[in-house]
Amino acid sequence: MILKVGQTLASAIDKTAVIVVRAPKDEVALTCGGVDMVAGKSGLGDGSGIDDAHRGGALLGKRYVDEGAALEVLCTKAGDGALALDGRVLEVKSAKPLPSSD
């Protein structure tokens, strides 16, 4: 799927939903719980069908990244499935340290 900035995607297997913040130029496979995500604002499943190998959960309000593919998504609804891009699990983006106020 070709991702676009601002696009809303939902899991087909649990309640996870994300907004694309930064998108790669190439076609990619963004999955949640091992199943391709679909266009939409709310997840379609209850999470009962997620394989244990694809569990990990997406946390509300966290940004998930894959620096190699230049992908960043913001989780708008939490769920049980792990977010992955082309089979690589996405990492939670760490906060930038604030400058000292000396």
Coordinates of all heavy atoms in Angstrom, one line a residue:
M1 N 0.8 -1.2 0.0 CA 0.0 0.0 0.0 C 0.9 1.2 0.0 O 1.9 1.3 0.6 CB -0.9 -0.1 1.2 CG -1.2 1.2 2.0 SD -2.2 1.1 3.5 CE -3.1 -0.3 3.4
I2 N 0.5 2.2 -0.7 CA 1.2 3.5 -0.7 C 0.6 4.4 0.4 O -0.7 4.6 0.4 CB 1.0 4.3 -2.1 CG1 1.6 3.5 -3.2 CG2 1.6 5.7 -2.0 CD1 3.1 3.4 -3.3
L3 N 1.4 4.8 1.4 CA 0.9 5.6 2.5 C 1.0 7.1 2.2 O 2.0 7.5 1.5 CB 1.7 5.2 3.7 CG 1.6 3.8 4.2 CD1 2.5 3.5 5.4 CD2 0.2 3.4 4.5
K4 N 0.1 7.8 2.8 CA 0.1 9.3 2.6 C 0.1 9.9 4.0 O -0.6 9.5 4.9 CB -1.1 9.8 1.8 CG -1.0 9.2 0.4 CD -2.3 9.6 -0.4 CE -2.2 9.0 -1.8 NZ -3.5 8.9 -2.4
V5 N 0.7 11.1 4.2 CA 0.7 11.8 5.4 C -0.7 12.2 5.7 O -1.4 12.7 4.8 CB 1.6 13.0 5.3 CG1 1.5 13.9 6.6 CG2 3.1 12.6 5.2
G6 N -1.2 12.0 6.9 CA -2.5 12.3 7.3 C -3.5 11.2 7.1 O -4.7 11.3 7.6
Q7 N -3.1 10.2 6.5 CA -4.0 9.0 6.3 C -4.3 8.3 7.6 O -3.4 8.1 8.4 CB -3.3 8.1 5.3 CG -4.1 6.9 4.9 CD -3.4 6.0 3.9 OE1 -2.2 6.1 3.6 NE2 -4.2 5.1 3.2
T8 N -5.5 7.9 7.8 CA -5.9 7.1 9.0 C -6.1 5.7 8.6 O -6.8 5.3 7.7 CB -7.3 7.7 9.5 OG1 -7.1 9.1 9.8 CG2 -7.7 7.0 10.8
L9 N -5.5 4.8 9.4 CA -5.5 3.4 9.2 C -6.0 2.7 10.4 O -5.7 3.1 11.6 CB -4.1 2.9 8.8 CG -3.5 3.5 7.5 CD1 -2.0 3.0 7.4 CD2 -4.3 3.0 6.3
A10 N -6.7 1.6 10.3 CA -7.2 0.8 11.4 C -6.8 -0.7 11.2 O -6.6 -1.2 10.1 CB -8.7 0.9 11.4
S11 N -6.7 -1.4 12.3 CA -6.4 -2.8 12.3 C -7.6 -3.6 11.9 O -8.7 -3.2 12.2 CB -6.0 -3.2 13.7 OG -5.8 -4.6 13.8
A12 N -7.4 -4.7 11.2 CA -8.5 -5.6 10.8 C -8.7 -6.6 11.8 O -9.6 -7.4 11.7 CB -8.1 -6.2 9.4
I13 N -7.8 -6.7 12.9 CA -7.9 -7.8 13.9 C -8.1 -7.3 15.3 O -8.4 -8.1 16.2 CB -6.6 -8.6 13.7 CG1 -6.8 -10.0 14.3 CG2 -5.4 -7.9 14.3 CD1 -5.8 -11.0 13.9
D14 N -7.9 -6.0 15.6 CA -8.1 -5.5 16.9 C -8.6 -4.0 16.9 O -8.9 -3.5 15.8 CB -6.9 -5.7 17.9 CG -5.7 -4.8 17.6 OD1 -5.8 -4.0 16.7 OD2 -4.7 -4.9 18.3
K15 N -8.5 -3.3 18.0 CA -9.0 -1.9 18.0 C -8.0 -0.9 17.6 O -8.3 0.3 17.7 CB -9.5 -1.6 19.4 CG -10.7 -2.5 19.9 CD -11.9 -2.3 19.1 CE -13.1 -3.1 19.5 NZ -14.1 -3.2 18.6
T16 N -6.8 -1.2 17.3 CA -5.8 -0.3 17.0 C -6.1 0.6 15.8 O -6.6 0.1 14.8 CB -4.4 -1.0 16.7 OG1 -4.1 -1.8 17.8 CG2 -3.3 0.0 16.4
A17 N -5.8 1.9 15.9 CA -5.9 2.9 14.8 C -4.7 3.8 14.9 O -4.3 4.2 16.0 CB -7.2 3.6 14.9
V18 N -4.2 4.3 13.7 CA -3.1 5.1 13.6 C -3.3 6.2 12.6 O -4.1 6.0 11.7 CB -1.8 4.4 13.3 CG1 -1.5 3.4 14.4 CG2 -1.8 3.7 12.0
I19 N -2.6 7.3 12.7 CA -2.5 8.3 11.7 C -1.1 8.4 11.2 O -0.1 8.4 12.0 CB -2.9 9.7 12.2 CG1 -4.4 9.7 12.6 CG2 -2.6 10.8 11.2 CD1 -4.8 11.0 13.3
V20 N -0.9 8.4 9.9 CA 0.5 8.5 9.3 C 1.0 9.9 9.4 O 0.4 10.9 9.0 CB 0.4 8.1 7.8 CG1 1.8 8.2 7.1 CG2 -0.1 6.7 7.6
V21 N 2.2 10.0 10.1 CA 2.8 11.3 10.3 C 3.9 11.6 9.3 O 4.1 12.7 8.8 CB 3.4 11.4 11.7 CG1 4.1 12.7 12.0 CG2 2.3 11.2 12.8
R22 N 4.6 10.5 8.9 CA 5.7 10.6 7.9 C 5.6 9.3 7.1 O 5.5 8.2 7.7 CB 7.0 10.7 8.6 CG 8.2 11.0 7.7 CD 9.5 11.2 8.4 NE 9.7 10.1 9.3 CZ 10.8 9.9 10.0 NH1 11.8 10.7 9.8 NH2 11.0 8.9 10.8
A23 N 5.6 9.4 5.8 CA 5.3 8.3 4.9 C 6.5 8.0 4.0 O 7.1 9.0 3.4 CB 4.1 8.5 4.1
P24 N 6.8 6.7 3.8 CA 7.9 6.4 2.8 C 7.3 6.6 1.4 O 6.1 6.6 1.2 CB 8.2 5.0 3.0 CG 6.9 4.4 3.7 CD 6.3 5.6 4.4
K25 N 8.1 6.8 0.4 CA 7.7 7.0 -1.0 C 7.3 5.7 -1.7 O 6.5 5.6 -2.6 CB 8.8 7.7 -1.8 CG 9.1 9.1 -1.3 CD 10.2 9.7 -2.1 CE 10.3 11.1 -1.6 NZ 11.6 11.7 -1.5
D26 N 7.9 4.6 -1.2 CA 7.7 3.3 -1.8 C 6.4 2.6 -1.3 O 5.9 3.0 -0.2 CB 8.9 2.4 -1.6 CG 10.1 2.9 -2.2 OD1 10.1 3.6 -3.2 OD2 11.2 2.7 -1.6
E27 N 6.0 1.6 -1.9 CA 4.8 0.8 -1.5 C 5.3 -0.1 -0.3 O 6.4 -0.7 -0.4 CB 4.3 -0.1 -2.6 CG 3.0 -0.8 -2.2 CD 2.3 -1.4 -3.4 OE1 2.3 -0.8 -4.5 OE2 1.7 -2.5 -3.2
V28 N 4.6 -0.2 0.8 CA 5.0 -0.9 1.9 C 3.8 -1.7 2.5 O 2.6 -1.5 2.1 CB 5.5 0.0 3.1 CG1 6.8 0.6 2.6 CG2 4.5 1.0 3.4
A29 N 4.0 -2.6 3.4 CA 3.0 -3.4 4.0 C 3.0 -3.0 5.5 O 3.9 -3.5 6.3 CB 3.2 -4.9 3.9
L30 N 2.1 -2.2 6.0 CA 1.9 -1.9 7.4 C 0.9 -2.8 8.0 O -0.2 -2.9 7.5 CB 1.5 -0.4 7.5 CG 1.3 0.1 9.0 CD1 2.7 0.0 9.7 CD2 0.8 1.5 8.9
T31 N 1.4 -3.6 9.0 CA 0.5 -4.6 9.7 C 0.3 -4.3 11.2 O 1.1 -3.6 11.8 CB 1.1 -6.0 9.5 OG1 2.4 -6.0 10.1 CG2 1.2 -6.4 8.0
C32 N -0.8 -4.8 11.7 CA -1.0 -4.8 13.1 C -1.5 -6.2 13.5 O -2.4 -6.7 12.9 CB -2.1 -3.8 13.5 SG -2.5 -3.8 15.2
G33 N -0.7 -6.8 14.4 CA -1.1 -8.2 14.8 C -0.8 -9.2 13.6 O -1.4 -10.3 13.6
G34 N 0.0 -8.8 12.7 CA 0.4 -9.7 11.6 C -0.6 -9.6 10.4 O -0.5 -10.4 9.4
V35 N -1.6 -8.7 10.5 CA -2.6 -8.6 9.4 C -2.5 -7.2 8.9 O -2.4 -6.2 9.6 CB -4.0 -8.9 10.0 CG1 -5.1 -8.7 8.9 CG2 -4.1 -10.3 10.5
D36 N -2.6 -7.0 7.5 CA -2.5 -5.7 6.9 C -3.6 -4.7 7.5 O -4.7 -5.1 7.7 CB -2.8 -5.8 5.4 CG -1.6 -6.4 4.7 OD1 -0.4 -6.3 5.2 OD2 -1.8 -6.9 3.6
M37 N -3.2 -3.5 7.7 CA -4.1 -2.5 8.2 C -4.9 -2.0 7.0 O -4.5 -2.1 5.9 CB -3.3 -1.3 8.8 CG -2.6 -1.8 10.1 SD -1.9 -0.4 11.1 CE -3.4 0.1 12.0
V38 N -6.1 -1.4 7.3 CA -7.0 -1.0 6.3 C -7.4 0.5 6.5 O -7.2 1.0 7.6 CB -8.3 -1.8 6.3 CG1 -8.0 -3.3 5.9 CG2 -9.0 -1.8 7.6
A39 N -7.9 1.2 5.5 CA -8.3 2.6 5.7 C -9.5 2.6 6.6 O -10.4 1.8 6.5 CB -8.7 3.2 4.3
G40 N -9.5 3.6 7.5 CA -10.6 3.7 8.5 C -10.1 4.3 9.8 O -8.9 4.5 10.0
K41 N -11.1 4.7 10.6 CA -10.8 5.4 11.9 C -10.9 4.5 13.1 O -10.5 4.9 14.2 CB -11.6 6.6 12.0 CG -11.4 7.6 11.0 CD -12.1 8.9 11.3 CE -11.7 9.9 10.2 NZ -12.2 11.2 10.5
S42 N -11.5 3.3 13.0 CA -11.5 2.4 14.2 C -11.3 1.0 13.8 O -11.7 0.6 12.7 CB -12.9 2.6 14.9 OG -13.9 2.1 14.0
G43 N -10.6 0.3 14.7 CA -10.3 -1.1 14.4 C -11.5 -2.0 14.3 O -12.6 -1.7 14.8
L44 N -11.4 -3.1 13.6 CA -12.5 -3.9 13.2 C -12.7 -5.2 14.1 O -13.7 -5.8 14.1 CB -12.4 -4.3 11.8 CG -12.2 -3.2 10.8 CD1 -12.0 -3.7 9.4 CD2 -13.5 -2.3 10.8
G45 N -11.6 -5.6 14.8 CA -11.7 -6.8 15.6 C -11.6 -6.6 17.1 O -11.5 -5.5 17.6
D46 N -11.6 -7.8 17.8 CA -11.5 -7.7 19.2 C -10.2 -8.2 19.8 O -10.0 -8.2 21.0 CB -12.7 -8.5 19.8 CG -12.6 -10.0 19.5 OD1 -11.7 -10.4 18.8 OD2 -13.5 -10.8 19.9
G47 N -9.3 -8.6 18.9 CA -8.0 -9.0 19.3 C -7.8 -10.5 19.6 O -6.7 -11.0 19.9
S48 N -8.9 -11.2 19.6 CA -8.9 -12.6 20.0 C -8.1 -13.5 18.9 O -7.7 -14.6 19.3 CB -10.3 -13.2 20.2 OG -11.0 -13.1 19.0
G49 N -8.0 -13.0 17.7 CA -7.4 -13.8 16.7 C -5.9 -13.5 16.4 O -5.3 -14.0 15.5
I50 N -5.3 -12.7 17.3 CA -3.9 -12.4 17.2 C -3.0 -13.5 17.6 O -3.1 -14.0 18.7 CB -3.6 -11.1 18.0 CG1 -4.4 -9.9 17.5 CG2 -2.1 -10.8 17.8 CD1 -4.2 -8.7 18.4
D51 N -2.1 -13.9 16.7 CA -1.1 -14.9 17.1 C -0.1 -14.3 18.1 O 0.2 -13.1 18.1 CB -0.3 -15.3 15.8 CG 0.6 -16.4 16.0 OD1 1.5 -16.3 16.9 OD2 0.5 -17.4 15.2
D52 N 0.3 -15.2 19.1 CA 1.2 -14.7 20.1 C 2.5 -14.1 19.6 O 3.1 -13.2 20.2 CB 1.5 -15.8 21.1 CG 0.4 -16.2 22.0 OD1 -0.5 -15.3 22.2 OD2 0.3 -17.3 22.5
A53 N 2.9 -14.5 18.4 CA 4.2 -13.9 17.8 C 4.0 -12.5 17.4 O 4.9 -11.8 17.2 CB 4.6 -14.8 16.6
H54 N 2.7 -12.1 17.2 CA 2.4 -10.7 16.7 C 1.7 -9.9 17.8 O 1.2 -8.8 17.5 CB 1.5 -10.8 15.5 CG 2.2 -11.5 14.3 ND1 3.2 -10.9 13.6 CD2 2.0 -12.7 13.8 CE1 3.6 -11.8 12.7 NE2 2.9 -12.9 12.8
R55 N 1.8 -10.3 19.0 CA 1.3 -9.5 20.1 C 2.4 -8.5 20.6 O 3.6 -8.7 20.4 CB 0.9 -10.3 21.3 CG -0.4 -11.1 21.1 CD -1.0 -11.6 22.3 NE -2.2 -12.3 22.0 CZ -3.4 -11.7 21.9 NH1 -3.6 -10.4 22.0 NH2 -4.5 -12.5 21.6
G56 N 2.0 -7.4 21.2 CA 3.0 -6.4 21.7 C 2.2 -5.2 22.1 O 2.6 -4.5 23.0
G57 N 1.1 -4.9 21.4 CA 0.3 -3.8 21.8 C 0.8 -2.5 21.3 O 2.0 -2.2 21.3
A58 N -0.1 -1.7 20.8 CA 0.2 -0.3 20.4 C -0.4 0.6 21.5 O -1.6 0.4 22.0 CB -0.5 0.0 19.1
L59 N 0.3 1.6 22.0 CA -0.1 2.4 23.1 C -0.6 3.7 22.6 O 0.0 4.4 21.7 CB 1.1 2.7 24.0 CG 1.8 1.4 24.6 CD1 3.1 1.8 25.4 CD2 0.8 0.7 25.5
L60 N -1.7 4.2 23.2 CA -2.4 5.4 22.8 C -1.5 6.6 23.0 O -0.8 6.8 24.0 CB -3.6 5.6 23.7 CG -4.4 6.9 23.5 CD1 -5.1 6.9 22.1 CD2 -5.5 7.0 24.6
G61 N -1.4 7.4 21.9 CA -0.6 8.7 22.0 C 0.9 8.5 21.7 O 1.6 9.5 21.6
K62 N 1.3 7.3 21.5 CA 2.7 7.0 21.2 C 3.0 7.1 19.7 O 2.1 6.7 18.9 CB 3.2 5.7 21.7 CG 3.1 5.6 23.2 CD 4.1 6.5 23.9 CE 4.1 6.4 25.4 NZ 5.1 7.2 26.0
R63 N 4.2 7.5 19.3 CA 4.6 7.5 17.9 C 5.5 6.3 17.7 O 6.3 6.0 18.5 CB 5.3 8.8 17.6 CG 4.4 10.0 17.6 CD 5.2 11.3 17.3 NE 4.3 12.4 17.4 CZ 4.0 13.2 16.4 NH1 4.5 12.9 15.2 NH2 3.2 14.2 16.5
Y64 N 5.2 5.6 16.6 CA 6.0 4.4 16.2 C 6.7 4.7 14.9 O 6.1 5.3 14.0 CB 5.0 3.2 16.0 CG 4.5 2.8 17.4 CD1 3.3 3.4 17.9 CD2 5.1 1.8 18.1 CE1 2.8 3.0 19.1 CE2 4.6 1.4 19.3 CZ 3.5 2.0 19.8 OH 3.0 1.6 21.1
V65 N 8.0 4.3 14.9 CA 8.8 4.7 13.7 C 9.6 3.5 13.2 O 9.8 2.5 13.9 CB 9.9 5.7 14.1 CG1 9.2 7.0 14.5 CG2 10.8 5.3 15.2
D66 N 9.9 3.6 11.9 CA 10.9 2.7 11.2 C 11.8 3.7 10.5 O 11.4 4.2 9.4 CB 10.2 1.7 10.3 CG 11.2 0.8 9.6 OD1 12.2 1.3 9.0 OD2 10.9 -0.4 9.7
E67 N 12.9 4.0 11.0 CA 13.8 5.0 10.4 C 14.3 4.6 9.1 O 14.5 5.4 8.2 CB 15.0 5.2 11.4 CG 14.6 5.9 12.7 CD 14.0 7.2 12.6 OE1 14.2 7.9 11.6 OE2 13.2 7.6 13.5
G68 N 14.6 3.3 8.8 CA 15.1 2.8 7.6 C 14.1 3.1 6.4 O 14.5 3.4 5.3
A69 N 12.8 3.1 6.7 CA 11.8 3.3 5.6 C 11.2 4.7 5.7 O 10.3 5.1 5.0 CB 10.7 2.3 5.7
A70 N 11.7 5.5 6.7 CA 11.2 6.9 6.9 C 9.7 6.9 7.2 O 8.9 7.7 6.6 CB 11.5 7.8 5.7
L71 N 9.2 6.0 8.1 CA 7.8 5.9 8.4 C 7.6 6.3 9.9 O 8.4 5.9 10.7 CB 7.3 4.5 8.3 CG 5.9 4.2 8.8 CD1 4.8 4.8 7.9 CD2 5.6 2.8 9.1
E72 N 6.6 7.1 10.1 CA 6.2 7.5 11.5 C 4.7 7.5 11.6 O 4.1 8.1 10.7 CB 6.8 8.8 11.9 CG 6.5 9.2 13.3 CD 7.2 10.5 13.7 OE1 8.2 10.9 13.1 OE2 6.7 11.2 14.6
V73 N 4.1 6.8 12.6 CA 2.7 6.8 12.8 C 2.4 7.2 14.2 O 3.2 6.9 15.1 CB 2.0 5.4 12.4 CG1 2.2 5.1 10.9 CG2 2.6 4.3 13.2
L74 N 1.2 7.8 14.4 CA 0.7 8.1 15.8 C -0.4 7.3 16.1 O -1.4 7.2 15.3 CB 0.3 9.6 15.8 CG -0.4 10.1 17.0 CD1 0.6 10.1 18.2 CD2 -0.9 11.5 16.8
C75 N -0.4 6.6 17.2 CA -1.5 5.7 17.6 C -2.6 6.5 18.2 O -2.4 7.2 19.2 CB -0.9 4.7 18.7 SG -2.2 3.5 19.2
T76 N -3.8 6.4 17.6 CA -5.0 7.1 18.1 C -5.9 6.2 18.9 O -6.8 6.7 19.6 CB -5.7 7.8 16.9 OG1 -6.1 6.8 16.0 CG2 -4.8 8.8 16.3
K77 N -5.8 4.9 18.7 CA -6.6 4.0 19.5 C -5.7 2.8 19.8 O -5.1 2.2 18.9 CB -7.8 3.5 18.8 CG -8.9 4.6 18.6 CD -10.1 4.0 18.1 CE -11.1 5.2 17.9 NZ -12.3 4.8 17.2
A78 N -5.6 2.4 21.1 CA -4.7 1.4 21.5 C -5.3 0.0 21.2 O -6.5 -0.2 21.0 CB -4.4 1.5 23.0
G79 N -4.4 -1.0 21.1 CA -4.8 -2.4 20.8 C -3.8 -3.4 21.3 O -2.7 -3.0 21.8
D80 N -4.0 -4.6 21.0 CA -3.1 -5.7 21.5 C -2.1 -6.1 20.4 O -1.1 -6.7 20.8 CB -3.9 -7.0 21.8 CG -4.8 -6.7 23.0 OD1 -4.4 -5.9 23.9 OD2 -5.9 -7.3 23.1
G81 N -2.3 -5.8 19.2 CA -1.4 -6.2 18.1 C -0.2 -5.3 18.0 O -0.2 -4.1 18.2
A82 N 1.0 -5.9 17.6 CA 2.2 -5.2 17.4 C 2.2 -4.6 16.0 O 1.7 -5.2 15.0 CB 3.4 -6.1 17.5
L83 N 2.6 -3.3 15.9 CA 2.7 -2.7 14.6 C 4.0 -3.1 13.9 O 5.1 -3.1 14.5 CB 2.6 -1.1 14.8 CG 1.4 -0.6 15.3 CD1 1.5 0.9 15.7 CD2 0.2 -0.8 14.4
A84 N 3.9 -3.4 12.6 CA 5.1 -3.8 11.9 C 5.1 -3.2 10.4 O 4.0 -3.0 9.9 CB 5.2 -5.3 11.8
L85 N 6.2 -3.0 9.9 CA 6.4 -2.5 8.5 C 7.2 -3.5 7.8 O 8.4 -3.8 8.1 CB 7.0 -1.1 8.5 CG 7.2 -0.6 7.1 CD1 5.8 -0.1 6.6 CD2 8.1 0.6 7.1
D86 N 6.6 -4.2 6.8 CA 7.3 -5.2 6.0 C 7.9 -6.2 6.9 O 9.1 -6.7 6.6 CB 8.3 -4.5 5.0 CG 7.7 -3.7 4.0 OD1 6.6 -3.9 3.6 OD2 8.4 -2.7 3.5
G87 N 7.2 -6.6 7.9 CA 7.7 -7.7 8.8 C 8.6 -7.2 10.0 O 8.9 -8.0 10.8
R88 N 9.1 -5.9 10.0 CA 9.9 -5.4 11.0 C 9.0 -4.7 12.0 O 8.3 -3.8 11.7 CB 10.9 -4.4 10.5 CG 11.9 -5.0 9.5 CD 12.9 -4.0 9.0 NE 12.4 -2.8 8.5 CZ 12.0 -2.6 7.2 NH1 12.1 -3.6 6.4 NH2 11.5 -1.5 6.8
V89 N 9.1 -5.1 13.3 CA 8.3 -4.4 14.3 C 8.7 -3.0 14.5 O 9.9 -2.7 14.6 CB 8.5 -5.2 15.7 CG1 7.7 -4.5 16.8 CG2 8.0 -6.6 15.5
L90 N 7.7 -2.1 14.5 CA 8.0 -0.6 14.7 C 8.4 -0.4 16.2 O 7.9 -1.0 17.1 CB 6.8 0.2 14.3 CG 6.3 0.1 12.9 CD1 5.1 1.0 12.7 CD2 7.4 0.5 11.9
E91 N 9.3 0.6 16.3 CA 9.8 1.0 17.7 C 9.0 2.2 18.1 O 8.7 3.1 17.3 CB 11.3 1.3 17.6 CG 12.1 0.1 17.2 CD 13.6 0.4 17.1 OE1 14.0 1.6 17.5 OE2 14.3 -0.4 16.6
V92 N 8.9 2.4 19.4 CA 8.3 3.6 20.0 C 9.3 4.7 19.9 O 10.5 4.5 20.2 CB 7.9 3.4 21.5 CG1 7.4 4.7 22.1 CG2 6.9 2.3 21.7
K93 N 8.9 5.8 19.4 CA 9.8 6.9 19.2 C 10.1 7.5 20.5 O 9.2 7.8 21.3 CB 9.2 8.0 18.3 CG 10.1 9.1 17.9 CD 9.5 10.1 17.0 CE 10.4 11.2 16.6 NZ 9.8 12.1 15.6
S94 N 11.4 7.7 20.8 CA 11.8 8.3 22.1 C 11.7 9.8 22.1 O 11.9 10.4 21.0 CB 13.2 7.8 22.5 OG 14.1 8.3 21.5
A95 N 11.5 10.3 23.2 CA 11.3 11.8 23.4 C 12.7 12.4 23.2 O 13.7 11.9 23.7 CB 10.7 12.1 24.7
K96 N 12.7 13.6 22.6 CA 14.0 14.3 22.5 C 14.3 15.0 23.9 O 13.4 15.6 24.5 CB 13.9 15.4 21.4 CG 13.7 14.9 20.1 CD 13.7 16.0 19.1 CE 13.4 15.4 17.7 NZ 13.3 16.5 16.7
P97 N 15.5 15.0 24.3 CA 15.9 15.6 25.6 C 15.7 17.1 25.4 O 16.1 17.7 24.4 CB 17.3 15.2 25.8 CG 17.8 14.8 24.5 CD 16.7 14.3 23.7
L98 N 15.2 17.8 26.5 CA 15.0 19.2 26.5 C 16.4 19.9 26.7 O 17.2 19.3 27.5 CB 14.0 19.6 27.5 CG 12.6 19.1 27.3 CD1 11.7 19.5 28.5 CD2 12.0 19.7 26.1
P99 N 16.6 21.1 26.2 CA 17.8 21.8 26.4 C 17.9 22.2 27.9 O 16.8 22.5 28.5 CB 17.8 22.9 25.5 CG 16.4 23.1 25.2 CD 15.7 21.8 25.3
S100 N 19.1 22.3 28.4 CA 19.2 22.8 29.8 C 18.8 24.2 29.9 O 19.0 25.0 29.0 CB 20.6 22.5 30.3 OG 21.5 23.3 29.6
S101 N 18.4 24.6 31.0 CA 18.0 26.0 31.2 C 19.0 26.9 32.0 O 18.6 27.8 32.6 CB 16.6 26.1 31.9 OG 16.7 25.5 33.2
D102 N 20.2 26.5 31.9 CA 21.3 27.2 32.7 C 21.5 28.5 32.1 O 21.7 28.9 31.1 CB 22.6 26.4 32.6 CG 22.5 25.1 33.4 OD1 21.5 25.0 34.1 OD2 23.3 24.2 33.2

